[in-house]
Amino acid sequence: MTRKEIEERKFRPAREEAGDAAKQTGTPQTQSAAYRLAFQDDEFLLREDLRPVRFQLELLKPQLLMDEAKIESTFVFYGSARIPEPDQVQARIDAAPTPELKRLAENLGRKAHYYEEARKLARIAAQYPVNEAGCRHFVVCSGGGPSIMEAANRGAQDVGQTTIGMNIVLPHEQAPNRFVTPELSFQFHYFALRKMHFLLRARALAVFPGGFGTFDEMFELLTLIQTGKMKPIPILLFGREFWNRVVDFEALADEGVISHKDLDLLTWVESAQEGWDAVQRFYEDSDAPGCD
């Protein structure tokens, strides 16, 4: 008999105890918040003092659910939430109420082909074969939102594969895109824990043109690898013209604030197939590991 089986026999499951607690007779004592089981007391769990516990829960919940789904590694997609799907470009330009907004709509429209490239790359990655242990590799993972994130989840769904979405609670209303697998649709309160889950299983990463969020996530990953806190993985940077216009990577190296060899962490690509070929080259001498 395993230790787990022994413990399960020794103690009643928390689920049963919680059910019994809900049936208790109503008295001033049992109706007091103090009498609630701690794990059923929302007000208690939301106290400032409980932040360390909430950190643990937010780390543990997605970890357990992905373990149960046998997701061994992921292919993470970063990119703008504003780039339109190609067939929406003209409608957005026509709907722009001012010349300035029209100019911005046109700028975003010129990047619409990246929606299709993200979708194509996700299709390819999602078809990576399941290994003999039933573990999945290169499972498509995005922030769960619109635009490039939607394209990634959509590509995986195109070929009938599960796909992960990692949303974050924001002040304005939002919802996961409809292509995220419901059982793998996660919501985070802490940006730090969301970022950690993006990278814990990442075996490759594609970065498309984007704004502050994309910059934040990409540069954090580059820093982790540069400082040896994380093993190198393929980092595919789509849209060399865009990135060289908004970030002068060579200038950073020329100024001495990074090394020229740090630029080798980036792999410049323009198409989905080019990106997947780069990932294959990176791992050509290694096989996908089995389940731990």
Side-chain angles (χ1 to χ4, degrees):
M1 184 178 294
T2 66
R3 180 178 179 83
K4 181 179 179 183
E5 290 170 333
I6 293 172
E7 294 301 320
E8 285 177 344
R9 287 192 175 190
K10 187 186 301 180
F11 299 111
R12 292 186 71 213
R15 189 181 300 275
E16 290 182 17
E17 296 280 281
D20 290 343
K23 301 173 187 175
Q24 290 171 348
T25 304
T27 69
Q29 290 75 25
T30 62
Q31 290 175 350
S32 169
Y35 197 72
R36 293 184 200 134
L37 288 169
F39 57 81
Q40 289 186 310
D41 190 340
D42 290 343
E43 289 303 315
F44 174 69
L45 290 173
L46 293 174
R47 288 172 56 153
E48 288 297 307
D49 317 62
L50 271 290
R51 181 176 288 121
V53 175
R54 293 195 298 274
F55 260 69
Q56 288 180 304
L57 291 173
E58 197 153 283
L59 175 64
L60 189 59
K61 182 179 178 181
Q63 182 80 8
L64 290 176
L65 292 177
M66 285 191 277
D67 283 346
E68 290 168 2
K70 291 193 172 183
I71 295 171
E72 188 71 14
S73 70
T74 57
F75 198 133
V76 178
F77 288 67
Y78 292 156
S80 175
R82 303 185 185 192
I83 293 173
E85 192 176 347
D87 62 8
Q88 297 175 356
V89 172
Q90 194 57 51
R92 292 196 182 188
I93 293 172
D94 294 342
T98 67
E100 175 61 13
L101 290 177
K102 182 177 181 179
R103 182 185 68 80
L104 295 177
E106 290 171 342
N107 283 347
L108 289 169
R110 283 192 285 273
K111 301 175 185 64
H113 65 285
Y114 289 120
Y115 182 103
E116 281 305 316
E117 293 305 322
R119 186 176 176 182
K120 290 175 185 175
L121 180 57
R123 283 192 201 122
I124 298 171
Q127 295 180 76
Y128 192 85
V130 176
N131 70 14
E132 292 180 0
C135 296
R136 308 180 204 182
H137 288 279
F138 294 111
V139 177
V140 172
C141 175
S142 85
S147 190
I148 296 298
M149 295 173 279
E150 174 189 286
N153 298 126
R154 186 176 184 178
Q157 193 190 80
D158 286 342
V159 292
Q161 298 300 316
T162 55
T163 178
I164 303 164
M166 295 189 179
N167 274 79
I168 188 86
V169 178
L170 297 175
H172 54 273
E173 185 178 351
Q174 64 154 2
N177 69 67
R178 68 185 190 278
F179 302 106
V180 177
T181 301
E183 295 76 21
L184 296 172
S185 182
F186 304 113
Q187 182 174 218
F188 291 84
H189 169 58
Y190 298 106
F191 266 105
L193 272 298
R194 180 179 183 241
K195 288 179 178 181
M196 181 171 285
H197 273 295
F198 272 136
L199 299 181
L200 274 173
R201 298 167 195 251
R203 203 151 189 260
L205 191 135
V207 188
F208 292 82
F212 287 161
T214 303
F215 276 57
D216 176 40
E217 290 154 347
M218 178 181 73
F219 279 107
E220 183 165 51
L221 171 60
L222 289 171
T223 303
L224 288 170
I225 296 175
Q226 180 202 48
T227 56
K229 300 291 283 185
M230 179 176 168
K231 291 181 180 179
I233 63 172
I235 302 173
L236 311 177
L237 213 53
F238 282 77
R240 190 165 195 150
E241 180 181 356
F242 168 83
W243 287 108
N244 281 337
R245 182 166 181 259
V246 298
V247 183
D248 195 334
F249 291 102
E250 289 290 343
L252 290 174
D254 290 341
E255 290 292 329
V257 292
I258 65 171
S259 300
H260 278 280
K261 67 180 179 61
D262 291 332
L263 300 180
D264 294 337
L265 297 175
L266 302 171
T267 300
W268 297 97
V269 297
E270 291 297 332
S271 71
Q273 190 59 56
E274 188 182 2
W276 183 248
D277 289 344
V279 172
Q280 287 186 306
R281 286 194 301 273
F282 188 93
Y283 290 113
E284 62 186 356
D285 295 326
S286 65
D287 297 322
C291 290
D292 292 331

